[in-house]
Amino acid sequence: MPPPPPPRQDFPAFPFATYPIQTEFMSFLYSALSSGPRALALLESPTGTGKTLSIICSALQWLLDHRDAASLGHPERANGSAPAAVGGEDDEPDWMRDFTLQPLPPKKDIRKKSETHPSRRHGTKKVGVSEKSEGIRENDDEEEFLLDEYESDDGEGTGRQAGKRAHCGGASSSSSSSSESEDDEDEEEATPKVYFTSRTHSQVSQFVGELKRTNFSGKLRTVCLGSRKSLCINTDVQKLGSTTRINERCLELLKNKKSSKIKVEGDNKKGRRTKTSCRCPMLGNRSLQKQFRSEVSDHGALDIEDLAQLGRKIGTCPYYGARDMVRSADLVVLPYQSLLLKSARELLGLNLKNSVVIIDEAHNLADSLTSMYNSKVESSQLRAVLSHLEAYLNRFQNVLGAGNRRYIQTLTVLTRSFLRCLISNEDCSSAVTSMTINKFLFSFDIDNINIVKLCQYLKESNIVHKVSGYANKLFITENGVCNLNHGQQHGEGSSITSFQALTDLLRSLLYCNDDGRIIVARHKPGGQPEDAYIKFVMLCAEKTFSEVTDDAHVVIMAGGTLQPIEETRLRLFPGLLPSDIKFFSCNHIVPPESILPIAVTCGPSGKKFDFSHSSRSSLNMIEELGRFLCNIVTIVPEGIVMFFSSYEYEKQVYDAWMASGTISKISKKKHVFREPRSSVDVEVILNKYKEAIQSCSKGSGDTSVNGALLLAVVGGKISEGINFSDGMGRCVLMVGLPYPSPDDIELMETIKHIGNYSTSSVIGDDKPFNGNDECKLEPGFDVLRKSGKSGREYYENLCMKAVNQSIGRAIRHVNDYAAMLLVDSRYAHTS
């Protein structure tokens, strides 16, 4: 076996003179990439150490070197593996070689068949539909809602395999044109490729901005993926505002193409053909999509805003245009949800085989993973689904095939069962209960339903869009107008949203019994019916993460701080020994004298600061905090950011300060701003906060005011992802220790899982089922006391990670400086 390539010490693409730590960082990452397949490395790089540029230069240089080695006939060096054994191919049986060499059927013929019978692509058979639908011929506009005949026992899977591109709606929907251009189909897939993912769209755009500073931007083909809300240029759809409604309206436009049917003159009743163009005007012209892809390739790296602007210029959809470029891209930049969620990977056609996956901001990766796989359906959504299913079945029952009728009836029975159990709580038992998947199936009396086949039906048939389309038609008929915003009049989301919520919950029931918990919140007597819901909480992050690590050549986890490493290992890759994990940590480059951390244990009057849950609401405590803040604003120039543990507590403190006159005293020195709950308003408040600081720095306006104060919330939009560099954050105050609420049922279930905690009061034991035996939820503090060491440490770490993330907003570069005031006597405790 030849030795592996030596670590590179030269990275000419780096655009400026590097610190020694950056060269060491890049050499470590390059070596880790060469150690695949299925290697794992953790990179800890504090703010100001050049993390993003270091990742770009080392990872993309490795990709170029890898391909050069492969092109020169050294695949063993490119793959980081031993060369093939002598005569390795000859060891294959003749039948296998013969089978491999058989020519594939022409793609064109396959595509023509798919155009003629689009239902075959979805595993359905269109048998006798035209004969059965004679009863609705007189009402032609309803025929588009009729389902194709469905046979569930044909033994054929229909899910699109990973690695194939999803065009204009993915595997589960028809594209804007069912005939793809052949040059697109023949486009060779670039392998291996690098996937870079970060938590938010803004972080994705920041990465692309750094990429533009290097010469890799012109050497490698880059595509940036974003959400429909960020990339949609259809103004009618954008007006909907909500991400959920934009997504579902986009899918409606892609699905509802049968309304474009036209009659053929001089023919009988069967003489009809369907126009296959998409209803969305931004997807009707394939030549414009091709032009979009060509211009993206010519421009080099483009971020989400650039793609949207280019789409508007050309007049074609940048969302699907970018998706169609994934196959040929060398570097794919995308948010967490698109890469880490299996269904999203399949829909986007992401092939992780032998590729490099780089996950940025990975400090909360395990929690992010589990939350992606959570699912929830509310009682109002169940009522909507039930009414729409009943209306659909009443209208089309006589023309539906046996398969469709059976599954729709099963869905109706199941939905009615869910709803009945949520709204009936006659025995006044615990309103919120937790149970395992098996217990849930038995307690709701649905253990005799084949959930696997039902989920397969929901995936392969077009039931969701057919029923939802018919429900929308009824709404339009009743109201006499087509209103795209009518979903707002019927609670949260429209029919598609409700159906999708139920579908996601049913899919969650396919997980192993111990992978998660079902939270059932029943209707409280005297409460609102909308308060009732069923929610699946994923607990097993390692299983979902293994789907990524098993396919990828190397997985790189990067972040400002990844400690504690042991918790990360136990939750994401417990099968690996600590010695199997490659770990590198950069030292802080900000000098100690630029940071002033102080634990503030008492106020100006000597009163001890105690912001624990039992003491923080004390009026004396709030007034003491106000006096302390009045002293701080007179000393600290420019911007101060003050973090509270929750929106409720921030409001309580602010109202008390308004009543006591504290706010008016603070306003004499600082303009006061508050973090809004709505993410839409965050940018507006931040701009006002920044303008107030800049105006004071320039000496304009009231000279007695020396800056601004921003009241923020831990875990809100401002505490993560927002930079308060330089004058924006000369001081950060953290009020109390932001421990999560022990009344959070989902959190307590996670702690039980992490701490290997079990008790007879948790459903899932071996006791025989009793219909009246609900899962008794123990108080959160009891759970913490009984949980194992790892569970308690997890609870502590959640608090300290939140503190680190919040106060870390202030120091953003080597020349920055700020004071961090931790206001609580508990911060002074050494253990």
Side-chain angles (χ1 to χ4, degrees):
M1 177 188 302
R8 288 185 66 109
Q9 299 296 332
D10 59 316
F11 293 91
F14 209 85
F16 52 80
T18 66
Y19 296 99
I21 191 65
Q22 293 168 333
T23 301
E24 189 179 351
F25 180 109
M26 291 187 285
S27 298
F28 173 86
L29 179 53
Y30 190 94
S31 177
L33 294 170
S34 303
S35 63
R38 299 183 65 181
L40 181 70
L42 277 64
L43 301 175
E44 195 174 61
S45 179
T47 300
T49 53
K51 176 187 66 177
T52 303
L53 276 173
S54 298
I55 289 175
I56 290 171
C57 294
S58 50
L60 299 187
Q61 185 63 55
W62 176 88
L63 182 64
L64 293 176
D65 293 347
H66 176 99
R67 292 181 177 175
D68 289 344
S71 64
L72 294 175
H74 301 295
E76 70 280 357
R77 299 193 71 176
N79 296 327
S81 60
V86 178
E89 274 194 22
D90 294 336
D91 293 337
E92 290 183 352
D94 293 339
W95 65 267
M96 185 177 288
R97 289 202 306 274
D98 294 341
F99 177 81
T100 305
L101 294 174
Q102 290 295 324
L104 295 173
K107 290 183 180 179
K108 189 174 182 180
D109 295 337
I110 294 176
R111 195 181 302 115
K112 285 184 177 179
K113 291 181 181 179
S114 177
E115 291 171 15
T116 307
H117 302 287
S119 61
R120 292 180 184 174
R121 290 180 297 175
H122 300 282
T124 57
K125 297 182 179 180
K126 198 164 185 175
V127 180
V129 173
S130 58
E131 289 82 357
K132 288 188 176 184
S133 59
E134 293 296 333
I136 58 172
R137 280 294 183 190
E138 66 278 4
N139 198 353
D140 287 335
D141 60 340
E142 289 188 355
E143 186 182 356
E144 66 175 293
F145 304 119
L146 187 61
L147 284 162
D148 294 340
E149 195 70 30
Y150 184 83
E151 295 182 9
S152 62
D153 295 323
D154 55 9
E156 295 182 8
T158 60
R160 177 174 48 79
Q161 297 177 353
K164 292 187 178 181
R165 289 176 300 152
H167 179 81
C168 301
S172 61
S173 65
S174 302
S175 65
S176 64
S177 174
S178 51
S179 57
E180 301 288 340
S181 56
E182 294 189 26
D183 55 336
D184 294 341
E185 288 293 332
D186 295 334
E187 203 168 27
E188 182 180 357
E189 180 166 10
T191 56
K193 55 176 92 243
V194 174
Y195 292 94
F196 177 90
T197 181
S198 196
R199 211 169 41 83
T200 65
H201 283 81
S202 61
Q203 291 166 343
V204 166
S205 295
Q206 289 172 11
F207 176 87
V208 176
E210 294 294 288
L211 177 63
K212 291 177 180 179
R213 300 175 62 189
T214 72
N215 56 18
F216 291 111
S217 177
K219 288 183 178 180
L220 296 171
R221 193 173 189 183
T222 303
V223 61
C224 186
L225 300 181
S227 65
R228 287 180 174 88
K229 182 176 177 61
S230 300
L231 288 173
C232 178
I233 59 172
N234 186 327
T235 54
D236 290 336
V237 177
Q238 277 286 359
K239 289 177 183 177
L240 299 177
S242 162
T243 299
T244 301
R245 294 188 178 92
I246 288 175
N247 288 341
E248 65 188 34
R249 182 55 184 162
C250 175
L251 293 176
E252 286 173 2
L253 292 174
L254 295 172
K255 289 279 187 178
N256 299 337
K257 62 188 185 67
K258 286 191 176 181
S259 60
S260 301
K261 293 188 206 176
I262 58 174
K263 293 183 179 180
V264 179
E265 294 183 4
D267 214 334
N268 55 25
K269 290 182 179 179
K270 297 182 181 180
R272 302 171 62 83
R273 67 181 179 88
T274 302
K275 184 180 179 181
T276 58
S277 61
C278 177
R279 274 185 172 182
C280 181
M282 301 303 166
L283 278 171
N285 193 324
R286 293 198 313 276
S287 63
L288 293 181
Q289 283 278 295
K290 186 176 179 180
Q291 179 186 349
F292 175 85
R293 295 193 295 270
S294 176
E295 292 201 24
V296 170
S297 299
D298 294 341
H299 280 83
L302 297 178
D303 61 20
I304 294 173
E305 290 75 14
D306 296 332
L307 292 174
Q309 185 176 357
L310 181 61
R312 292 188 187 95
K313 173 186 172 184
I314 298 176
T316 190
C317 178
Y319 174 76
Y320 284 111
R323 279 176 53 166
D324 283 346
M325 294 184 64
V326 169
R327 183 178 178 83
S328 59
D330 303 305
L331 171 63
V332 182
V333 188
L334 68 173
Y336 270 8
Q337 195 90 1
S338 301
L339 179 79
L340 299 177
L341 194 61
K342 183 178 180 180
S343 59
R345 289 197 303 272
E346 292 176 347
L347 187 65
L348 295 171
L350 305 184
N351 182 8
L352 303 186
K353 285 287 186 183
N354 301 321
S355 292
V356 174
V357 175
I358 301 174
I359 304 172
D360 195 17
E361 301 295 331
H363 54 277
N364 283 329
L365 180 59
D367 290 327
S368 298
L369 264 174
T370 53
S371 65
M372 288 178 196
Y373 285 84
N374 291 350
S375 56
K376 178 181 178 182
V377 60
E378 299 174 355
S379 58
S380 58
Q381 294 174 320
L382 290 171
R383 279 193 293 271
V385 170
L386 182 60
S387 64
H388 295 160
L389 284 172
E390 290 176 341
Y392 185 86
L393 196 58
N394 290 337
R395 178 65 185 91
F396 299 102
Q397 184 167 350
N398 294 333
V399 295
L400 287 172
N404 283 314
R405 190 164 57 247
R406 181 173 67 252
Y407 280 111
I408 293 176
Q409 289 171 342
T410 301
L411 273 173
T412 304
V413 170
L414 186 143
T415 306
R416 189 178 290 116
S417 175
F418 285 173
L419 196 56
R420 183 174 60 252
C421 291
L422 285 181
I423 63 178
S424 62
N425 197 20
E426 296 88 355
D427 57 353
C428 295
S429 60
S430 176
V432 182
T433 56
S434 171
M435 60 189 75
T436 61
I437 296 175
N438 289 345
K439 181 65 176 188
F440 174 78
L441 296 175
F442 281 108
S443 62
F444 278 69
D445 198 24
I446 57 174
D447 56 296
N448 58 339
I449 294 178
N450 192 326
I451 303 295
V452 175
K453 285 192 175 181
L454 185 58
C455 290
Q456 184 180 4
Y457 174 74
L458 288 167
K459 178 180 180 180
E460 295 176 357
S461 70
N462 203 14
I463 177 67
V464 172
H465 285 271
K466 294 291 186 181
V467 174
S468 299
Y470 183 67
N472 291 339
K473 175 186 178 298
L474 292 180
F475 175 86
I476 294 171
T477 302
E478 293 172 1
N479 292 270
V481 64
C482 179
N483 181 5
L484 294 181
N485 262 319
H486 75 266
Q488 295 177 351
Q489 303 170 14
H490 301 306
E492 181 61 33
S494 69
S495 178
I496 291 181
T497 304
S498 301
F499 262 104
Q500 192 58 53
L502 177 60
T503 301
D504 291 341
L505 181 69
L506 293 177
R507 288 172 181 163
S508 300
L509 300 179
L510 301 180
Y511 289 109
C512 295
N513 192 48
D514 294 329
D515 286 352
R517 287 290 185 270
I518 305 291
I519 309 295
V520 180
R522 288 178 170 82
H523 170 55
K524 300 176 184 178
Q528 295 296 324
E530 289 73 16
D531 295 336
Y533 64 85
I534 303 171
K535 183 173 184 177
F536 171 79
V537 179
M538 172 62 78
L539 301 176
C540 197
E542 65 268 22
K543 287 191 176 181
T544 55
F545 192 56
S546 66
E547 296 170 354
V548 176
T549 57
D550 288 349
D551 281 348
H553 175 73
V554 179
V555 174
I556 306 294
M557 294 171 55
T561 173
L562 298 179
Q563 303 288 349
I565 299 300
E566 182 61 13
E567 179 191 305
T568 303
R569 184 187 72 84
L570 290 175
R571 295 197 66 192
L572 292 177
F573 26 85
L576 288 180
L577 297 174
S579 57
D580 296 332
I581 303 172
K582 300 174 178 61
F583 177 70
F584 179 85
S585 179
C586 295
N587 295 324
H588 285 271
I589 62 172
V590 179
E593 57 269 20
S594 297
I595 305 173
L596 181 63
I598 300 176
V600 183
T601 59
C602 58
S605 65
K607 183 176 180 59
K608 185 178 179 181
F609 278 136
D610 180 9
F611 292 97
S612 59
H613 190 269
S614 59
S615 304
R616 67 184 187 183
S617 297
S618 165
L619 187 59
N620 290 333
M621 189 66 62
I622 294 175
E623 290 178 352
E624 186 76 356
L625 179 64
R627 285 190 287 269
F628 171 72
L629 183 59
C630 287
N631 292 339
I632 294 298
V633 298
T634 61
I635 300 171
V636 178
E638 301 180 292
I640 298 177
V641 185
M642 190 173 194
F643 285 101
F644 294 88
S645 57
S646 66
Y647 286 103
E648 291 75 16
Y649 188 57
E650 184 272 339
K651 183 179 185 304
Q652 181 183 358
V653 172
Y654 183 83
D655 291 343
W657 285 349
M658 282 292 292
S660 65
T662 302
I663 291 295
S664 62
K665 293 178 182 178
I666 295 172
S667 299
K668 294 178 181 179
K669 288 294 182 180
K670 301 283 186 187
H671 298 287
V672 181
F673 300 92
R674 302 172 65 192
E675 176 180 350
R677 285 178 177 264
S678 172
S679 58
V680 178
D681 300 327
V682 169
E683 193 67 30
V684 176
I685 295 297
L686 286 176
N687 288 334
K688 290 182 178 179
Y689 172 73
K690 183 176 181 179
E691 290 171 2
I693 294 172
Q694 291 176 342
S695 64
C696 293
S697 300
K698 295 176 182 178
S700 58
D702 188 355
T703 56
S704 63
V705 178
N706 63 0
L709 169 68
L710 177 60
L711 306 180
V713 176
V714 176
K717 296 292 183 182
I718 288 177
S719 65
E720 290 195 36
I722 304 297
N723 295 338
F724 292 101
S725 60
D726 301 320
M728 290 278 285
R730 287 302 179 208
C731 180
V732 176
L733 288 89
M734 174 62 64
V735 180
L737 282 88
Y739 283 106
S741 171
D743 297 329
D744 187 335
I745 299 172
E746 298 174 29
L747 174 62
M748 291 303 111
E749 290 296 338
T750 302
I751 290 175
K752 292 178 189 178
H753 178 78
I754 294 173
N756 296 318
Y757 171 72
S758 62
T759 176
S760 59
S761 64
V762 178
I763 295 299
D765 51 34
D766 297 329
K767 294 189 299 182
F769 168 69
N770 181 345
N772 296 321
D773 180 23
E774 293 291 351
C775 170
K776 303 267 177 34
L777 291 174
E778 292 183 290
F781 289 112
D782 290 345
V783 172
L784 290 171
R785 280 193 294 268
K786 295 179 181 179
S787 65
K789 178 183 177 183
S790 56
R792 290 192 297 272
E793 287 181 346
Y794 170 73
Y795 186 70
E796 294 277 347
N797 291 336
L798 283 177
C799 172
M800 298 316 299
K801 284 181 180 179
V803 171
N804 289 335
Q805 280 297 119
S806 298
I807 65 177
R809 299 301 92 206
I811 301 293
R812 306 310 299 173
H813 58 82
V814 66
N815 296 318
D816 208 351
Y817 61 92
M820 285 83 171
L821 307 183
L822 308 176
V823 187
D824 198 301
S825 59
R826 291 172 292 174
Y827 281 112
H829 296 170
T830 57
S831 61

PDB file of all heavy atoms in Angstrom, residues 50 81 100 124 225 291 301 315 349 365 380 403 413 480 518 559 630 686 704 732 735 795:
ATOM      1  N   GLY A  50     -10.621  32.775  11.613  1.00  0.00           N
ATOM      2  CA  GLY A  50     -10.672  32.500  10.175  1.00  0.00           C
ATOM      3  C   GLY A  50     -11.217  31.127   9.845  1.00  0.00           C
ATOM      4  O   GLY A  50     -10.750  30.484   8.907  1.00  0.00           O
ATOM      5  N   SER A  81      -7.430   4.950   0.179  1.00  0.00           N
ATOM      6  CA  SER A  81      -7.544   3.534   0.490  1.00  0.00           C
ATOM      7  C   SER A  81      -6.474   2.773  -0.251  1.00  0.00           C
ATOM      8  O   SER A  81      -5.785   3.276  -1.122  1.00  0.00           O
ATOM      9  CB  SER A  81      -8.935   3.016   0.103  1.00  0.00           C
ATOM     10  OG  SER A  81      -9.150   3.206  -1.280  1.00  0.00           O
ATOM     11  N   THR A 100     -23.207  -6.717 -15.798  1.00  0.00           N
ATOM     12  CA  THR A 100     -22.783  -5.319 -15.729  1.00  0.00           C
ATOM     13  C   THR A 100     -22.601  -4.721 -17.110  1.00  0.00           C
ATOM     14  O   THR A 100     -22.855  -3.541 -17.334  1.00  0.00           O
ATOM     15  CB  THR A 100     -21.467  -5.217 -14.956  1.00  0.00           C
ATOM     16  OG1 THR A 100     -21.644  -5.839 -13.678  1.00  0.00           O
ATOM     17  CG2 THR A 100     -21.063  -3.766 -14.750  1.00  0.00           C
ATOM     18  N   THR A 124     -48.746   3.576  -9.403  1.00  0.00           N
ATOM     19  CA  THR A 124     -50.173   3.375  -9.488  1.00  0.00           C
ATOM     20  C   THR A 124     -50.533   2.920 -10.878  1.00  0.00           C
ATOM     21  O   THR A 124     -49.773   3.071 -11.828  1.00  0.00           O
ATOM     22  CB  THR A 124     -50.924   4.678  -9.176  1.00  0.00           C
ATOM     23  OG1 THR A 124     -50.478   5.686 -10.091  1.00  0.00           O
ATOM     24  CG2 THR A 124     -50.630   5.143  -7.762  1.00  0.00           C
ATOM     25  N   LEU A 225     -28.418  26.331  -2.250  1.00  0.00           N
ATOM     26  CA  LEU A 225     -29.831  25.960  -2.138  1.00  0.00           C
ATOM     27  C   LEU A 225     -30.477  26.731  -0.992  1.00  0.00           C
ATOM     28  O   LEU A 225     -29.877  26.891   0.078  1.00  0.00           O
ATOM     29  CB  LEU A 225     -29.982  24.463  -1.903  1.00  0.00           C
ATOM     30  CG  LEU A 225     -29.413  23.531  -2.976  1.00  0.00           C
ATOM     31  CD1 LEU A 225     -29.667  22.074  -2.598  1.00  0.00           C
ATOM     32  CD2 LEU A 225     -30.002  23.843  -4.341  1.00  0.00           C
ATOM     33  N   GLN A 291     -31.033  28.598 -19.509  1.00  0.00           N
ATOM     34  CA  GLN A 291     -30.269  29.843 -19.500  1.00  0.00           C
ATOM     35  C   GLN A 291     -29.860  30.218 -18.073  1.00  0.00           C
ATOM     36  O   GLN A 291     -28.738  30.680 -17.840  1.00  0.00           O
ATOM     37  CB  GLN A 291     -31.108  30.968 -20.106  1.00  0.00           C
ATOM     38  CG  GLN A 291     -30.398  32.326 -20.114  1.00  0.00           C
ATOM     39  CD  GLN A 291     -31.317  33.445 -20.583  1.00  0.00           C
ATOM     40  OE1 GLN A 291     -32.420  33.210 -21.093  1.00  0.00           O
ATOM     41  NE2 GLN A 291     -30.877  34.693 -20.390  1.00  0.00           N
ATOM     42  N   ALA A 301     -19.601  31.560  -7.832  1.00  0.00           N
ATOM     43  CA  ALA A 301     -20.377  31.387  -6.608  1.00  0.00           C
ATOM     44  C   ALA A 301     -21.401  32.502  -6.450  1.00  0.00           C
ATOM     45  O   ALA A 301     -21.059  33.682  -6.480  1.00  0.00           O
ATOM     46  CB  ALA A 301     -19.444  31.343  -5.397  1.00  0.00           C
ATOM     47  N   GLY A 315     -36.479  35.718 -15.598  1.00  0.00           N
ATOM     48  CA  GLY A 315     -37.899  35.407 -15.607  1.00  0.00           C
ATOM     49  C   GLY A 315     -38.175  33.930 -15.419  1.00  0.00           C
ATOM     50  O   GLY A 315     -39.146  33.399 -15.977  1.00  0.00           O
ATOM     51  N   GLY A 349     -32.556  15.184  -4.278  1.00  0.00           N
ATOM     52  CA  GLY A 349     -31.660  14.337  -5.052  1.00  0.00           C
ATOM     53  C   GLY A 349     -30.218  14.439  -4.604  1.00  0.00           C
ATOM     54  O   GLY A 349     -29.307  14.372  -5.430  1.00  0.00           O
ATOM     55  N   LEU A 365     -25.950  20.316  17.325  1.00  0.00           N
ATOM     56  CA  LEU A 365     -26.355  19.468  16.216  1.00  0.00           C
ATOM     57  C   LEU A 365     -27.325  18.374  16.642  1.00  0.00           C
ATOM     58  O   LEU A 365     -28.305  18.102  15.940  1.00  0.00           O
ATOM     59  CB  LEU A 365     -25.120  18.841  15.558  1.00  0.00           C
ATOM     60  CG  LEU A 365     -25.390  17.928  14.364  1.00  0.00           C
ATOM     61  CD1 LEU A 365     -26.125  18.690  13.269  1.00  0.00           C
ATOM     62  CD2 LEU A 365     -24.092  17.346  13.827  1.00  0.00           C
ATOM     63  N   SER A 380     -57.481  20.964  15.528  1.00  0.00           N
ATOM     64  CA  SER A 380     -58.121  21.734  14.455  1.00  0.00           C
ATOM     65  C   SER A 380     -57.730  21.186  13.085  1.00  0.00           C
ATOM     66  O   SER A 380     -58.546  21.158  12.156  1.00  0.00           O
ATOM     67  CB  SER A 380     -57.726  23.208  14.559  1.00  0.00           C
ATOM     68  OG  SER A 380     -56.310  23.359  14.503  1.00  0.00           O
ATOM     69  N   GLY A 403     -59.187  -0.076  -4.040  1.00  0.00           N
ATOM     70  CA  GLY A 403     -57.984   0.268  -3.288  1.00  0.00           C
ATOM     71  C   GLY A 403     -58.056   1.659  -2.700  1.00  0.00           C
ATOM     72  O   GLY A 403     -57.807   1.869  -1.510  1.00  0.00           O
ATOM     73  N   VAL A 413     -61.267   6.661   9.449  1.00  0.00           N
ATOM     74  CA  VAL A 413     -61.411   5.996  10.752  1.00  0.00           C
ATOM     75  C   VAL A 413     -60.285   6.412  11.688  1.00  0.00           C
ATOM     76  O   VAL A 413     -60.497   6.707  12.873  1.00  0.00           O
ATOM     77  CB  VAL A 413     -61.436   4.462  10.569  1.00  0.00           C
ATOM     78  CG1 VAL A 413     -61.332   3.758  11.918  1.00  0.00           C
ATOM     79  CG2 VAL A 413     -62.699   4.040   9.842  1.00  0.00           C
ATOM     80  N   GLY A 480     -67.556  32.148  -3.697  1.00  0.00           N
ATOM     81  CA  GLY A 480     -67.689  32.842  -4.956  1.00  0.00           C
ATOM     82  C   GLY A 480     -66.463  33.583  -5.415  1.00  0.00           C
ATOM     83  O   GLY A 480     -66.546  34.419  -6.306  1.00  0.00           O
ATOM     84  N   ILE A 518     -44.439   9.703  22.189  1.00  0.00           N
ATOM     85  CA  ILE A 518     -45.636  10.395  21.721  1.00  0.00           C
ATOM     86  C   ILE A 518     -46.181  11.227  22.875  1.00  0.00           C
ATOM     87  O   ILE A 518     -46.447  10.701  23.959  1.00  0.00           O
ATOM     88  CB  ILE A 518     -46.711   9.401  21.242  1.00  0.00           C
ATOM     89  CG1 ILE A 518     -46.149   8.468  20.173  1.00  0.00           C
ATOM     90  CG2 ILE A 518     -47.928  10.154  20.720  1.00  0.00           C
ATOM     91  CD1 ILE A 518     -45.835   9.127  18.860  1.00  0.00           C
ATOM     92  N   GLY A 559     -17.368  24.424  14.591  1.00  0.00           N
ATOM     93  CA  GLY A 559     -18.101  25.399  15.387  1.00  0.00           C
ATOM     94  C   GLY A 559     -17.173  26.214  16.253  1.00  0.00           C
ATOM     95  O   GLY A 559     -15.997  25.876  16.418  1.00  0.00           O
ATOM     96  N   CYS A 630     -28.981  51.232  35.825  1.00  0.00           N
ATOM     97  CA  CYS A 630     -28.842  52.690  35.741  1.00  0.00           C
ATOM     98  C   CYS A 630     -27.388  53.110  35.929  1.00  0.00           C
ATOM     99  O   CYS A 630     -26.920  54.063  35.286  1.00  0.00           O
ATOM    100  CB  CYS A 630     -29.728  53.363  36.792  1.00  0.00           C
ATOM    101  SG  CYS A 630     -31.491  53.307  36.420  1.00  0.00           S
ATOM    102  N   LEU A 686     -33.082  45.950  14.889  1.00  0.00           N
ATOM    103  CA  LEU A 686     -31.619  45.957  14.850  1.00  0.00           C
ATOM    104  C   LEU A 686     -31.086  47.178  14.099  1.00  0.00           C
ATOM    105  O   LEU A 686     -30.084  47.786  14.504  1.00  0.00           O
ATOM    106  CB  LEU A 686     -31.097  44.669  14.213  1.00  0.00           C
ATOM    107  CG  LEU A 686     -31.187  43.403  15.066  1.00  0.00           C
ATOM    108  CD1 LEU A 686     -30.730  42.184  14.269  1.00  0.00           C
ATOM    109  CD2 LEU A 686     -30.351  43.538  16.336  1.00  0.00           C
ATOM    110  N   SER A 704     -26.411  64.208  25.682  1.00  0.00           N
ATOM    111  CA  SER A 704     -26.408  63.487  26.956  1.00  0.00           C
ATOM    112  C   SER A 704     -26.608  61.988  26.772  1.00  0.00           C
ATOM    113  O   SER A 704     -26.262  61.198  27.642  1.00  0.00           O
ATOM    114  CB  SER A 704     -27.511  64.034  27.878  1.00  0.00           C
ATOM    115  OG  SER A 704     -28.790  63.809  27.300  1.00  0.00           O
ATOM    116  N   VAL A 732     -22.245  43.178  27.484  1.00  0.00           N
ATOM    117  CA  VAL A 732     -23.333  42.194  27.435  1.00  0.00           C
ATOM    118  C   VAL A 732     -23.677  41.814  28.869  1.00  0.00           C
ATOM    119  O   VAL A 732     -22.795  41.433  29.654  1.00  0.00           O
ATOM    120  CB  VAL A 732     -22.942  40.941  26.629  1.00  0.00           C
ATOM    121  CG1 VAL A 732     -24.060  39.918  26.677  1.00  0.00           C
ATOM    122  CG2 VAL A 732     -22.609  41.309  25.196  1.00  0.00           C
ATOM    123  N   VAL A 735     -28.757  38.125  32.605  1.00  0.00           N
ATOM    124  CA  VAL A 735     -29.537  38.142  33.841  1.00  0.00           C
ATOM    125  C   VAL A 735     -29.931  36.715  34.205  1.00  0.00           C
ATOM    126  O   VAL A 735     -30.754  36.088  33.528  1.00  0.00           O
ATOM    127  CB  VAL A 735     -30.782  39.025  33.700  1.00  0.00           C
ATOM    128  CG1 VAL A 735     -31.585  39.034  34.996  1.00  0.00           C
ATOM    129  CG2 VAL A 735     -30.395  40.436  33.301  1.00  0.00           C
ATOM    130  N   TYR A 795     -28.595  18.768  31.110  1.00  0.00           N
ATOM    131  CA  TYR A 795     -29.426  19.889  31.539  1.00  0.00           C
ATOM    132  C   TYR A 795     -28.561  21.104  31.890  1.00  0.00           C
ATOM    133  O   TYR A 795     -28.871  22.246  31.526  1.00  0.00           O
ATOM    134  CB  TYR A 795     -30.264  19.457  32.744  1.00  0.00           C
ATOM    135  CG  TYR A 795     -31.269  20.476  33.213  1.00  0.00           C
ATOM    136  CD1 TYR A 795     -32.395  20.782  32.451  1.00  0.00           C
ATOM    137  CD2 TYR A 795     -31.102  21.133  34.428  1.00  0.00           C
ATOM    138  CE1 TYR A 795     -33.325  21.710  32.879  1.00  0.00           C
ATOM    139  CE2 TYR A 795     -32.026  22.066  34.875  1.00  0.00           C
ATOM    140  CZ  TYR A 795     -33.129  22.353  34.097  1.00  0.00           C
ATOM    141  OH  TYR A 795     -34.053  23.279  34.518  1.00  0.00           O
TER     142      TYR A 795
END
